[in-house]
Protein backbone atom coordinates (compact mmCIF):
# COMPACT_ATOMS: atom_id res chain seq x y z
CA UNK A 1 0.00 0.00 0.00
CA UNK A 2 2.77 2.43 0.89
CA UNK A 3 4.53 1.87 -2.44
CA UNK A 4 1.27 2.41 -4.32
CA UNK A 5 0.31 5.62 -2.53
CA UNK A 6 3.77 7.14 -2.72
CA UNK A 7 3.73 6.75 -6.49
CA UNK A 8 0.42 8.57 -6.67
CA UNK A 9 0.83 11.11 -3.89
CA UNK A 10 -1.51 14.02 -4.57
CA UNK A 11 -3.53 12.07 -7.12
CA UNK A 12 -5.35 9.52 -4.94
CA UNK A 13 -7.86 10.52 -2.29
CA UNK A 14 -7.70 9.07 1.23
CA UNK A 15 -8.66 5.43 1.70
CA UNK A 16 -11.70 4.38 3.71
CA UNK A 17 -10.98 2.06 6.63
CA UNK A 18 -12.58 -1.34 7.20
CA UNK A 19 -13.23 -2.18 3.54
CA UNK A 20 -11.19 -3.34 0.57
CA UNK A 21 -10.50 -0.18 -1.46
CA UNK A 22 -11.39 -0.04 -5.14
CA UNK A 23 -9.61 2.33 -7.54
CA UNK A 24 -10.50 4.00 -10.81
CA UNK A 25 -7.59 4.90 -13.10
CA UNK A 26 -8.59 7.42 -15.76
CA UNK A 27 -6.19 7.62 -18.70
CA UNK A 28 -6.41 10.51 -21.17
CA UNK A 29 -5.12 9.98 -24.70
CA UNK A 30 -4.60 12.25 -27.71
CA UNK A 31 -3.80 12.17 -31.43
CA UNK A 32 -3.45 14.83 -34.12
CA UNK A 33 -7.13 14.68 -35.06
CA UNK A 34 -8.66 12.76 -32.13
CA UNK A 35 -10.52 10.40 -34.48
CA UNK A 36 -10.64 6.68 -33.65
CA UNK A 37 -11.75 3.82 -35.94
CA UNK A 38 -15.34 2.62 -35.47
CA UNK A 39 -14.07 -0.79 -34.38
CA UNK A 40 -11.45 0.48 -31.93
CA UNK A 41 -12.57 -1.56 -28.89
CA UNK A 42 -10.29 -4.54 -29.55
CA UNK A 43 -7.20 -2.32 -29.90
CA UNK A 44 -8.05 -0.55 -26.64
CA UNK A 45 -8.68 -3.91 -24.97
CA UNK A 46 -5.22 -5.14 -26.04
CA UNK A 47 -3.59 -1.95 -24.72
CA UNK A 48 -5.33 -2.27 -21.34
CA UNK A 49 -4.22 -5.88 -20.93
CA UNK A 50 -0.64 -4.98 -21.80
CA UNK A 51 -0.58 -2.58 -18.84
CA UNK A 52 -2.25 -4.56 -16.07
CA UNK A 53 0.06 -7.62 -16.10
CA UNK A 54 -1.22 -11.00 -17.26
CA UNK A 55 -2.92 -11.95 -13.98
CA UNK A 56 -6.42 -12.22 -15.40
CA UNK A 57 -5.79 -12.65 -19.11
CA UNK A 58 -7.69 -15.58 -20.59
CA UNK A 59 -8.99 -16.50 -17.16
CA UNK A 60 -12.40 -16.46 -15.49
CA UNK A 61 -10.69 -14.85 -12.49
CA UNK A 62 -10.73 -11.25 -13.68
CA UNK A 63 -10.24 -8.56 -11.07
CA UNK A 64 -10.72 -5.42 -13.13
CA UNK A 65 -12.95 -3.85 -15.76
CA UNK A 66 -12.35 -0.98 -18.15
CA UNK A 67 -14.64 1.44 -19.93
CA UNK A 68 -14.48 2.27 -23.61
CA UNK A 69 -13.61 5.77 -24.80
CA UNK A 70 -15.51 8.84 -23.67
CA UNK A 71 -14.90 12.58 -23.71
CA UNK A 72 -12.41 13.74 -21.08
CA UNK A 73 -14.39 16.92 -20.49
CA UNK A 74 -18.02 15.83 -20.64
CA UNK A 75 -19.45 19.04 -19.17
CA UNK A 76 -18.57 20.99 -22.32
CA UNK A 77 -19.67 18.34 -24.82
CA UNK A 78 -23.06 17.81 -26.40
CA UNK A 79 -22.16 14.19 -27.12
CA UNK A 80 -20.18 12.56 -24.27
CA UNK A 81 -18.78 9.65 -26.31
CA UNK A 82 -17.68 11.15 -29.61
CA UNK A 83 -19.44 11.84 -32.91
CA UNK A 84 -19.68 9.23 -35.66
CA UNK A 85 -18.53 10.54 -39.05
CA UNK A 86 -17.22 9.10 -42.31
CA UNK A 87 -13.65 9.12 -40.96
CA UNK A 88 -14.45 7.43 -37.67
CA UNK A 89 -15.48 8.58 -34.17
CA UNK A 90 -14.45 12.20 -33.60
CA UNK A 91 -13.92 13.58 -30.09
CA UNK A 92 -14.35 17.25 -29.14
CA UNK A 93 -11.87 16.86 -26.29
CA UNK A 94 -9.08 14.33 -25.73
CA UNK A 95 -10.78 10.94 -25.26
CA UNK A 96 -10.24 8.99 -22.06
CA UNK A 97 -11.03 5.60 -20.55
CA UNK A 98 -11.07 4.17 -17.04
CA UNK A 99 -9.67 0.98 -15.53
CA UNK A 100 -11.30 -0.13 -12.27
CA UNK A 101 -9.78 -2.66 -9.86
CA UNK A 102 -9.63 -3.64 -6.20
CA UNK A 103 -6.50 -5.77 -6.69
CA UNK A 104 -3.41 -3.94 -5.46
CA UNK A 105 -1.11 -5.94 -7.76
CA UNK A 106 -3.13 -4.83 -10.78
CA UNK A 107 -3.11 -1.26 -9.47
CA UNK A 108 0.67 -1.34 -9.05
CA UNK A 109 1.06 -2.76 -12.56
CA UNK A 110 -0.89 0.18 -13.98
CA UNK A 111 1.20 2.64 -11.98
CA UNK A 112 4.39 1.02 -13.24
CA UNK A 113 3.44 0.81 -16.90
CA UNK A 114 1.26 3.82 -17.70
CA UNK A 115 3.44 6.77 -18.61
CA UNK A 116 2.84 10.02 -20.46
CA UNK A 117 3.90 9.56 -24.07
CA UNK A 118 3.16 5.81 -24.18
CA UNK A 119 1.66 4.82 -27.53
CA UNK A 120 -1.87 3.42 -27.35
CA UNK A 121 -3.09 2.70 -30.91
CA UNK A 122 -3.80 4.52 -34.18
CA UNK A 123 -1.51 7.44 -33.43
CA UNK A 124 -2.92 8.00 -29.94
CA UNK A 125 -0.62 8.51 -26.98
CA UNK A 126 -1.18 8.89 -23.24
CA UNK A 127 -1.12 12.59 -22.29
CA UNK A 128 -2.30 12.40 -18.67
CA UNK A 129 -3.65 9.96 -16.09
CA UNK A 130 -4.93 10.05 -12.56
CA UNK A 131 -6.35 7.70 -9.97
CA UNK A 132 -8.82 7.98 -7.15
CA UNK A 133 -10.52 5.67 -4.70
CA UNK A 134 -14.07 4.64 -5.55
CA UNK A 135 -16.58 5.97 -3.05
CA UNK A 136 -18.19 3.61 -0.56
CA UNK A 137 -21.19 1.98 -2.27
CA UNK A 138 -22.99 1.08 0.96
CA UNK A 139 -25.69 3.75 0.57
CA UNK A 140 -25.64 3.80 -3.25
CA UNK A 141 -28.48 2.17 -5.19
CA UNK A 142 -28.65 4.08 -8.52
CA UNK A 143 -26.21 3.24 -11.32
CA UNK A 144 -26.03 4.03 -15.02
CA UNK A 145 -24.03 3.07 -18.10
CA UNK A 146 -21.80 5.14 -20.36
CA UNK A 147 -23.08 5.27 -23.94
CA UNK A 148 -19.71 3.98 -25.20
CA UNK A 149 -19.81 1.08 -22.70
CA UNK A 150 -23.40 -0.20 -22.83
CA UNK A 151 -24.67 -3.46 -21.38
CA UNK A 152 -24.90 -6.43 -23.74
CA UNK A 153 -27.77 -8.78 -22.96
CA UNK A 154 -28.95 -11.87 -24.83
CA UNK A 155 -28.97 -11.51 -28.66
CA UNK A 156 -32.60 -12.72 -28.65
CA UNK A 157 -33.56 -9.20 -27.56
CA UNK A 158 -31.56 -7.43 -30.28
CA UNK A 159 -34.74 -6.94 -32.33
CA UNK A 160 -36.07 -4.43 -29.78
CA UNK A 161 -34.90 -0.82 -29.85
CA UNK A 162 -36.76 -0.37 -26.58
CA UNK A 163 -37.31 -3.50 -24.52
CA UNK A 164 -41.06 -3.98 -23.93
CA UNK A 165 -42.26 -3.48 -20.38
CA UNK A 166 -43.64 -7.00 -20.17
CA UNK A 167 -40.21 -8.62 -20.65
CA UNK A 168 -38.08 -6.22 -18.60
CA UNK A 169 -38.24 -8.68 -15.70
CA UNK A 170 -36.72 -11.34 -17.98
CA UNK A 171 -33.81 -9.01 -18.80
CA UNK A 172 -33.31 -8.20 -15.12
CA UNK A 173 -33.28 -11.91 -14.32
CA UNK A 174 -30.75 -12.47 -17.12
CA UNK A 175 -28.42 -9.84 -15.62
CA UNK A 176 -28.76 -11.29 -12.11
CA UNK A 177 -28.05 -14.85 -13.30
CA UNK A 178 -25.01 -13.57 -15.21
CA UNK A 179 -23.63 -11.97 -12.03
CA UNK A 180 -24.30 -15.12 -10.00
CA UNK A 181 -22.52 -17.27 -12.58
CA UNK A 182 -19.42 -15.05 -12.53
CA UNK A 183 -19.36 -15.08 -8.72
CA UNK A 184 -19.74 -18.86 -8.56
CA UNK A 185 -16.87 -19.34 -11.02
CA UNK A 186 -14.45 -17.62 -8.67
CA UNK A 187 -15.99 -18.75 -5.39
CA UNK A 188 -17.49 -15.45 -4.22
CA UNK A 189 -20.63 -15.56 -2.05
CA UNK A 190 -22.71 -12.50 -2.90
CA UNK A 191 -25.72 -12.83 -0.61
CA UNK A 192 -29.07 -11.40 -1.69
CA UNK A 193 -29.21 -8.70 -4.34
CA UNK A 194 -31.66 -7.32 -6.90
CA UNK A 195 -31.19 -5.53 -10.22
CA UNK A 196 -34.07 -3.41 -11.52
CA UNK A 197 -34.16 -1.41 -14.75
CA UNK A 198 -35.50 2.03 -13.81
CA UNK A 199 -35.18 3.68 -17.23
CA UNK A 200 -34.02 2.89 -20.77
CA UNK A 201 -31.96 5.34 -22.79
CA UNK A 202 -30.99 5.29 -26.48
CA UNK A 203 -29.46 1.96 -27.48
CA UNK A 204 -26.42 1.66 -29.78
CA UNK A 205 -24.86 -0.77 -32.25
CA UNK A 206 -21.87 -2.70 -30.92
CA UNK A 207 -19.44 -5.05 -32.65
CA UNK A 208 -17.99 -7.71 -30.37
CA UNK A 209 -15.74 -9.12 -33.11
CA UNK A 210 -12.82 -7.46 -34.90
CA UNK A 211 -13.53 -6.49 -38.50
CA UNK A 212 -11.40 -4.98 -41.23
CA UNK A 213 -12.40 -1.66 -42.77
CA UNK A 214 -13.72 -3.46 -45.87
CA UNK A 215 -15.88 -5.78 -43.76
CA UNK A 216 -17.27 -3.04 -41.53
CA UNK A 217 -20.41 -2.29 -43.56
CA UNK A 218 -21.55 -5.92 -43.41
CA UNK A 219 -20.38 -6.60 -39.86
CA UNK A 220 -22.72 -8.29 -37.39
CA UNK A 221 -23.86 -5.70 -34.88
CA UNK A 222 -25.36 -6.32 -31.47
CA UNK A 223 -27.57 -3.93 -29.54
CA UNK A 224 -25.95 -2.20 -26.58
CA UNK A 225 -28.33 -1.21 -23.80
CA UNK A 226 -28.07 1.98 -21.78
CA UNK A 227 -29.97 1.81 -18.52
CA UNK A 228 -30.55 3.61 -15.27
CA UNK A 229 -30.45 0.76 -12.76
CA UNK A 230 -31.45 0.22 -9.17
CA UNK A 231 -29.07 -2.27 -7.55
CA UNK A 232 -29.84 -3.26 -3.98
CA UNK A 233 -28.50 -5.96 -1.70
CA UNK A 234 -25.31 -6.73 0.17
CA UNK A 235 -22.23 -4.55 -0.11
CA UNK A 236 -20.36 -7.59 -1.44
CA UNK A 237 -22.84 -7.94 -4.31
CA UNK A 238 -22.81 -4.25 -5.23
CA UNK A 239 -19.01 -4.07 -5.12
CA UNK A 240 -18.70 -7.25 -7.18
CA UNK A 241 -20.99 -5.84 -9.88
CA UNK A 242 -19.18 -2.49 -9.86
CA UNK A 243 -15.75 -4.07 -10.30
CA UNK A 244 -16.79 -6.76 -12.82
CA UNK A 245 -19.43 -5.07 -14.95
CA UNK A 246 -22.83 -6.27 -16.13
CA UNK A 247 -23.84 -8.43 -19.07
CA UNK A 248 -21.72 -10.05 -21.77
CA UNK A 249 -18.33 -9.14 -23.28
CA UNK A 250 -17.29 -7.08 -20.26
CA UNK A 251 -13.68 -7.82 -21.21
CA UNK A 252 -14.10 -5.45 -24.17
CA UNK A 253 -15.22 -2.57 -21.99
CA UNK A 254 -18.98 -3.12 -22.07
CA UNK A 255 -21.19 -3.11 -18.97
CA UNK A 256 -19.04 -0.54 -17.14
CA UNK A 257 -21.23 1.21 -14.54
CA UNK A 258 -21.15 4.64 -12.99
CA UNK A 259 -22.72 5.80 -9.73
CA UNK A 260 -25.66 8.02 -10.57
Amino acid sequence: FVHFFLLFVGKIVSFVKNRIPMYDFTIIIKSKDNVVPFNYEHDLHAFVYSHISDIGYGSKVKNFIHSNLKESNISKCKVPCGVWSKKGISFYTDPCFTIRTNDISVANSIVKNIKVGVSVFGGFKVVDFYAYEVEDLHYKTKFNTFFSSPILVSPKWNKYKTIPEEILCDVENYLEKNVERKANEIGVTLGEFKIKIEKQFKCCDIMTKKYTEDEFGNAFKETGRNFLLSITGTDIAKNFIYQNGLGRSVGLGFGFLNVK
Side-chain angles (χ1 to χ4, degrees):
F1 278 102
V2 174
H3 173 65
F4 175 70
F5 281 108
L6 285 176
L7 284 171
F8 265 93
V9 61
K11 289 198 172 188
I12 293 182
V13 300
S14 62
F15 120 157
V16 179
K17 293 181 180 179
N18 301 321
R19 71 181 181 93
I20 298 173
M22 192 186 315
Y23 302 102
D24 276 2
F25 292 79
T26 295
I27 296 147
I28 302 173
I29 62 177
K30 184 180 181 66
S31 73
K32 289 183 179 179
D33 56 9
N34 276 353
V35 176
V36 300
F38 296 114
N39 198 19
Y40 74 84
E41 290 91 355
H42 291 76
D43 291 334
L44 176 59
H45 173 70
F47 174 80
V48 170
Y49 265 105
S50 71
H51 283 73
I52 55 92
S53 79
D54 61 357
I55 294 171
Y57 192 80
S59 170
K60 293 177 181 178
V61 184
K62 189 166 70 69
N63 42 28
F64 70 96
I65 185 175
H66 70 89
S67 74
N68 287 320
L69 296 178
K70 53 187 180 288
E71 296 281 0
S72 58
N73 192 344
I74 294 176
S75 62
K76 294 182 180 179
C77 300
K78 295 179 181 178
V79 182
C81 300
V83 177
W84 284 47
S85 64
K86 291 182 179 180
K87 295 180 180 179
I89 306 173
S90 302
F91 287 83
Y92 290 110
T93 62
D94 299 334
C96 69
F97 61 96
T98 299
I99 301 171
R100 178 177 296 152
T101 184
N102 73 341
D103 189 304
I104 209 65
S105 62
V106 172
N108 273 323
S109 182
I110 297 169
V111 171
K112 179 180 177 181
N113 291 300
I114 296 290
K115 298 179 177 68
V116 172
V118 169
S119 295
V120 185
F121 60 85
F124 279 87
K125 291 188 176 182
V126 175
V127 294
D128 197 8
F129 60 94
Y130 57 92
Y132 52 92
E133 187 178 339
V134 172
E135 59 187 307
D136 189 350
L137 301 180
H138 180 72
Y139 296 106
K140 305 296 181 181
T141 58
K142 303 296 183 184
F143 302 86
N144 66 292
T145 56
F146 290 114
F147 190 75
S148 59
S149 303
I151 294 171
L152 291 178
V153 293
S154 172
K156 68 182 179 181
W157 294 311
N158 279 352
K159 59 185 177 181
Y160 300 115
K161 289 296 182 183
T162 300
I163 298 173
E165 191 73 28
E166 60 268 22
I167 64 172
L168 276 180
C169 59
D170 294 335
V171 180
E172 293 165 349
N173 185 60
Y174 173 90
L175 293 173
E176 291 170 0
K177 294 298 183 185
N178 192 269
V179 171
E180 289 171 353
R181 177 183 56 77
K182 289 181 191 175
N184 288 336
E185 285 174 350
I186 59 177
V188 174
T189 302
L190 299 176
E192 293 185 0
F193 71 97
K194 187 71 178 173
I195 298 173
K196 182 173 177 55
I197 299 169
E198 297 280 348
K199 188 174 181 179
Q200 299 184 64
F201 301 102
K202 185 179 179 182
C203 59
C204 49
D205 289 335
I206 294 297
M207 290 169 291
T208 55
K209 295 182 179 179
K210 178 82 171 172
Y211 294 95
T212 65
E213 190 172 336
D214 293 337
E215 296 172 322
F216 184 79
N218 298 318
F220 173 71
K221 299 178 179 67
E222 295 205 51
T223 304
R225 304 292 173 178
N226 289 286
F227 296 137
L228 172 63
L229 300 166
S230 170
I231 303 177
T232 55
T234 66
D235 286 356
I236 293 174
K238 285 194 288 185
N239 279 277
F240 184 84
I241 291 168
Y242 207 61
Q243 73 186 44
N244 288 278
L246 274 181
R248 298 164 42 237
S249 297
V250 292
L252 285 178
F254 303 117
F256 186 95
L257 297 183
N258 186 42
V259 175
K260 182 64 175 175

